[in-house]
Each structure stands twice: as C-alpha cells, then as structure tokens.
Amino acid sequence: MADDEPIPETKLTSTKRQWAAGGKFLTGRVARPETDRLPPGQHLVKDWPVLDLGQQPHIALETWRLDLTGLIETPLSLDWKAFQSLPQSDTLSDIHCVTTWSRYDNRWQGVLTRDLIDRVMPKPEAEYVVLTSYDGYTTNLPLIDFAAENAVLATRWEGAPISRAHGGPMRLVVPHLYLWKSAKWLTRIDFRAADMAGFWERNGYHMRGDPWLEERYSGD
C-alpha cells in the first residue's frame, strides 16, 4: 500500500476514531515526580505478600479458558493456546495493595488489555467490566481503567510463570488502582453498561480504588 493511500475503513478503525474523538481510554499511566511515586499511607516491601479468599484453585492449562462476554461485537472464548497466540507484551509497573504495602518495578509479560479490547470491540454503551475468577471472586472496573496503557493480562512475573499463589496461570494487573482490582485466576470478563459491585465492593471497599486518593473503603 502506498504511503498516500487512505487506510480502508473497517469497524475497528471507525470505532477507534470515535474513541479518540471522545477522549475514551485516556487514563492509566500518569507522569509523577519520584517524590509522589509512593501513594499516601503505603510502605515499600521487597517481597510480594500473598492475599486471597482462603483457596488457591489449581487450573490445568489443558482446561483453562477465558470468556469475554456482554456488550461487545465479538464474544470470545479462549483456550490457553489461543490466548498465547495473541500479541505478547512486556511491561514494568509498581503495585499497591489496600493493606498498605507497595512494591516497585515489577516486570510482567502477557497480553495488554488494549490488545484484547481491539479483538472484542466494546459497543458504545459498554462503560464497565465485571471480572470473575476461578475461585468465585469478582470485582468491577470502569472500562477506561481496564483499558489503561499498562494494564496487562499477565502470565509471567520477573521472567517466570506467575505462581498459583499469585494468580497463575493468568491474572489481571491494573497498576494505577489498588491490587484487589487486579483479579487473580481470571476466567471471565463481562462488558456492561452499568456498574456492579464485586466481592470486596459489596463488603465495604471502594467502587474504584485509586491509591493516590486513598479510595480504600466505601466512605473514602
């Protein structure tokens, strides 16, 4: 194709143009001075503490699936081989837990949420996602947070497969929100028009969870 030839119009390019015109998905990575890198009320750790609901499901790669449902043009049900065939990316980010610890410079490998969004094409009325894990855990996110620049469906951490204790074989990582929003053992992503509280949100946690605003609990 010559440089001066117009790019053929497709549903994907048309929708992305609408997103750009409306400023959609312009969120996530924010330039902060080093002195503001640690959110208020947090302390640094070198290890990675394990927190869960008391069970760590064992998920065989042969039976693993990720379903994408709801207000999208192309529903998907991916097995492990199909998920691994998607574009793979490396990211570097800090993580912040609502229990007040933070860990700097975590290296992840996996599928960027934006690349997955390109495949399923959310409908204009889709504003939220609800995430469901193999252990029954759920959490909710505004779609603009799920689509943040460095949000990733991670399969590797620091060069090795993510352990079962930390959500392997695949977990979500949304670095600019508290870590309870980054669901472990993810198996379903449902695109919705209205927000819906997940497990911790129904039990007193904030609906969004911005660490720099200390959005820990529902009254914050």
Side-chain angles (χ1 to χ4, degrees):
M1 179 182 292
D3 291 343
D4 56 354
E5 284 187 38
I7 298 174
E9 184 75 4
T10 65
K11 181 173 285 189
L12 175 59
T13 58
S14 175
T15 302
K16 283 192 170 182
R17 192 172 295 113
Q18 294 174 19
W19 290 345
K24 200 167 186 178
F25 303 148
L26 299 180
T27 186
R29 184 167 302 189
V30 177
R32 303 180 189 275
E34 184 66 23
T35 54
D36 292 341
R37 186 177 180 184
L38 187 67
Q42 298 292 109
H43 68 279
L44 287 178
V45 299
K46 297 295 186 181
D47 59 347
W48 186 2
V50 174
L51 297 172
D52 53 48
L53 299 182
Q55 57 179 324
Q56 297 173 1
H58 179 77
I59 307 154
L61 297 184
E62 294 77 16
T63 59
W64 180 94
R65 296 203 76 84
L66 176 65
D67 294 323
L68 294 102
T69 61
L71 297 172
I72 50 179
E73 297 288 348
T74 308
L76 288 180
S77 184
L78 302 169
D79 61 16
W80 187 251
K81 182 178 179 180
F83 183 77
Q84 290 293 310
S85 72
L86 296 175
Q88 303 291 310
S89 298
D90 297 331
T91 67
L92 179 70
S93 63
D94 303 339
I95 52 177
H96 311 288
C97 183
V98 70
T99 59
T100 77
W101 61 261
S102 295
R103 190 182 191 280
Y104 285 170
D105 296 326
N106 298 272
R107 297 184 181 276
W108 313 98
Q109 291 174 295
V111 177
L112 296 178
T113 58
R114 289 188 173 191
D115 288 335
L116 197 62
I117 286 169
D118 285 349
R119 297 298 181 102
V120 301
M121 297 298 298
K123 296 180 178 180
E125 59 268 33
E127 297 289 343
Y128 298 91
V129 295
V130 173
L131 311 171
T132 302
S133 301
Y134 271 93
D135 65 343
Y137 178 79
T138 58
T139 192
N140 57 305
L141 284 169
L143 182 53
I144 58 172
D145 286 320
F146 180 72
E149 180 182 357
N150 57 355
V152 61
L153 301 166
T155 57
R156 300 179 71 84
W157 175 72
E158 299 297 327
I162 291 179
S163 69
R164 175 182 169 193
H166 284 302
M170 186 276 281
R171 65 168 298 152
L172 177 64
V173 180
V174 181
H176 69 282
L177 298 180
Y178 283 124
L179 201 57
W180 93 78
K181 293 291 186 177
S182 296
K184 298 180 181 182
W185 309 297
L186 189 57
T187 188
R188 187 167 75 246
I189 304 169
D190 188 39
F191 292 74
R192 295 171 172 251
D195 204 2
M196 186 189 84
F199 176 83
W200 283 119
E201 294 79 16
R202 294 193 303 271
N203 286 277
Y205 276 33
H206 199 277
M207 288 291 281
R208 181 158 183 262
D210 185 326
W212 286 269
L213 298 178
E214 289 199 88
E215 292 176 340
R216 301 177 192 272
Y217 307 111
S218 58
D220 294 338

